[in-house]
Amino acid sequence: MKKLKIGIVGLGRLGKVHAKNIAYKIPNAELTAACSIVEAELEFAKSELGVTDVYTDYKEMLAKADIDAVCIVTTSSEHCWQIEAALDAGKHVFSEKPLGVDVAQCKQAEAAVERHPELTFMLGFMRRYDKSYLYAKNLVDKGAIGTPYLVKATGIDPEAAVQGAIRFAKNSGGIFLDMAIHDIDLCRWFLNSDATEVYALGSTFKHPEFKEAGDDETGVAVYKFANGAMAMVHVGRTAPYGYHVETEVVGTEGTIRISAVPEKNLATVYGPAGVCTECVGSFPERFEEAYLTEMEEFVDCVLNKKTPGVNVYDGTKSTAIGYATTEAWKTGKPVKINL
Ligand SMILES: NC(=O)c1ccc[n+]([C@@H]2O[C@H](COP(=O)([O-])OP(=O)(O)OC[C@H]3O[C@@H](n4cnc5c(N)ncnc54)[C@H](O)[C@@H]3O)[C@@H](O)[C@H]2O)c1
C-alpha cells in the first residue's frame, strides 16, 4: 500500500491531536518529520511519536525532509506563508483553520493553490466531518426540511478554560474572528449561500479582562444571505457546564438540531442532583472523531486524486465574513459583505 509521508508543523494543543492521528491511526499515512519553534514539542515528537527527523526551521523541513505533504497546525498568522512555501516546494497541504488572519493573506494562499492545480489543498473545518453534522447536511440537501431559511449556531467555550482565553484575548483578533469562524462556515455550508450583510453585538459580564483587552466575553451576530436566508451566531467563553456547540437549521418543512443537548456520552446519572447527562468538556473531546475523519479524507484525496470537501475559497470567505462581523461589532452598525 502506498503511504503518504507527512511532515507536521506546530505541535501545540491541536498539533498533537493531528500528529497522533497521522502517526498511529491512518494506515495509509506516515508521520516522517516534525517542525516546531518550541524545543519541548520536538522532544514530544521523538519520544511520543517516534519521529526523529525534526526541525526548528520550517523552510529547512520543506527542503530536506522525506515528505509528500505537510500538515500546518501553527499559530493562525503563520498559515498562509507556510501554505504558499509548501505548495511552491511541491508538497500537498492540509492547513488548520482559519486560512489566514486577513483577507490579503488569504488571497496569497489562494494564488498559491491556483498555481499548483496538481497538488491537493484542504482546510481543516472539521465540523463538516463530524458524523452528526454530516448526517444533518445530507438531510438538508435531500430536502428533508424543505428550504432551509435560518441557521442558529452556538459555540460557547467552557469556563474551565477561560483563563487561557483571557491570556490570548489581546492577540485573538476579537471574539468573532477567534471563535465564530467555524459557525460562519457552517452557516455557509448549510445554506449553500454567502452572507451579504451582518449586524453584531458583544457584551462582558463575568470577566472584565476581556473588555480591558479590547475584546468581549460573548458575541451575537445576525446575517443576511444572498439567497434570502438568515443566520444567527452566538459565541461565548463562559459555559459553566462544559463545551457547548449546538446548531439548528430551520427550513420551510422542519428543523434539524445538532447537539441540542451537548452530551458527553449516552450515560445518564441518577443521583441526589437529579437525573443528569454530563456535558462534553472540550473541543478535542467533542470532535475527536472528526479530526481523524478529516485527515483520512485529506490522505485519501491526495492518494486517489480526489477533491477535498473544504477548499481554499471556503477559507477566504469565512475570514472575510469574520472581518465584516468584527467591524459590525466594533462600529455598532450593519456592514455589507462583498465576497
Ligand atoms: N479546528 C479546530 O477546532 C481548532 C481547534 C484549536 C485550534 N485550531 C487552530 O490550530 C492552530 C493551532 O492552534 P493551537 O491551539 O494548537 O495553538 P498552540 O499555540 O497550542 O500551538 C501552535 C504551535 O505552533 C508552533 N509554531 C508557531 N509558529 C511557528 C513557526 N513559524 N514554525 C514552526 N512552529 C511554529 C508553536 O510552536 C506552537 O506550539 C491555530 O491556527 C488554531 O486556530 C483549530
Side-chain angles (χ1 to χ4, degrees):
M1 177 178 39
K2 162 113 174 86
K3 285 195 178 197
L4 187 71
K5 293 177 183 166
I6 303 178
I8 194 160
V9 58
L11 282 165
R13 276 188 320 168
L14 188 58
K16 289 191 176 73
V17 174
H18 283 313
K20 286 183 191 162
N21 284 341
I22 296 165
Y24 299 123
K25 295 187 184 165
I26 305 180
N28 50 0
E30 236 181 307
L31 190 66
T32 52
C35 171
S36 171
I37 48 175
V38 177
E39 203 56 50
E41 292 180 5
L42 297 180
E43 282 310 313
F44 170 87
K46 290 182 199 162
S47 61
E48 303 290 320
L49 305 168
V51 176
T52 50
D53 193 19
V54 298
Y55 301 84
T56 49
D57 182 335
Y58 175 65
K59 288 192 172 157
E60 197 185 338
M61 178 171 88
L62 290 180
K64 294 188 180 161
D66 182 18
I67 53 175
D68 309 307
V70 292
C71 172
I72 298 172
V73 207
T74 48
T75 316
S76 304
S77 54
E78 306 294 295
H79 294 179
C80 286
W81 77 262
Q82 292 183 334
I83 291 167
E84 185 177 28
L87 291 167
D88 285 343
K91 314 296 177 194
H92 305 279
V93 176
F94 173 94
S95 172
E96 254 317 317
K97 55 57 54 180
L99 178 61
V101 292
D102 62 45
V103 175
Q105 276 190 1
C106 293
K107 291 282 177 195
Q108 203 181 329
E110 268 185 17
V113 170
E114 286 165 4
R115 261 201 312 282
H116 296 285
E118 76 287 5
L119 296 170
T120 299
F121 173 82
M122 177 173 165
L123 191 68
F125 277 131
M126 84 299 178
R127 287 191 198 173
R128 294 195 191 195
Y129 294 87
D130 175 74
K131 248 199 257 174
S132 306
Y133 278 99
L134 262 178
Y135 182 77
K137 170 69 173 163
N138 284 334
L139 284 178
V140 170
D141 286 354
K142 276 199 280 187
I145 59 165
T147 304
Y149 62 81
L150 172 66
V151 176
K152 296 192 237 172
T154 303
I156 316 175
D157 276 348
E159 173 76 31
V162 78
Q163 289 308 326
I166 287 170
R167 273 196 302 279
F168 187 56
K170 248 194 193 122
N171 302 313
S172 77
I175 188 160
F176 292 105
L177 280 166
D178 182 28
M179 295 198 61
I181 203 100
H182 284 293
D183 303 288
I184 290 168
D185 180 62
L186 287 179
C187 295
R188 297 183 58 245
W189 191 52
F190 278 120
L191 294 172
N192 278 319
S193 183
D194 269 308
T196 55
E197 191 168 355
V198 56
Y199 179 63
L201 295 168
S203 71
T204 300
F205 282 96
K206 221 170 164 181
H207 300 284
E209 296 95 320
F210 284 113
K211 268 265 185 274
E212 286 155 20
D215 201 356
D216 256 321
E217 196 172 75
T218 299
V220 171
V222 180
Y223 299 89
K224 187 194 273 185
F225 274 68
N227 65 358
M230 302 163 285
M232 203 189 85
V233 169
H234 165 203
V235 282
R237 290 155 159 151
T238 58
Y241 44 85
Y243 177 63
H244 186 158
V245 166
E246 176 190 349
T247 310
E248 182 174 347
V249 189
V250 186
T252 51
E253 308 300 329
T255 291
I256 299 180
R257 291 182 75 172
I258 303 116
S259 191
V261 179
E263 289 164 345
K264 189 181 188 69
N265 52 38
L266 295 177
T268 306
V269 182
Y270 298 72
V275 180
C276 311
T277 49
E278 245 183 271
C279 183
V280 67
S282 62
F283 68 84
E285 186 185 353
R286 168 65 181 85
F287 291 107
E288 181 182 5
E289 215 180 319
Y291 291 122
L292 176 59
T293 310
E294 68 173 356
M295 199 56 70
E296 286 170 341
E297 153 117 339
F298 172 66
V299 172
D300 182 45
C301 284
V302 175
L303 293 179
N304 298 305
K305 300 197 184 327
K306 295 181 185 165
T307 305
V310 192
N311 62 35
V312 72
Y313 307 105
D314 293 314
T316 307
K317 287 178 177 174
S318 54
T319 295
I321 296 169
Y323 256 90
T325 311
T326 303
E327 191 188 331
W329 160 55
K330 292 209 162 146
T331 59
K333 296 194 172 128
V335 170
K336 298 264 185 226
I337 305 169
N338 297 309
L339 295 176

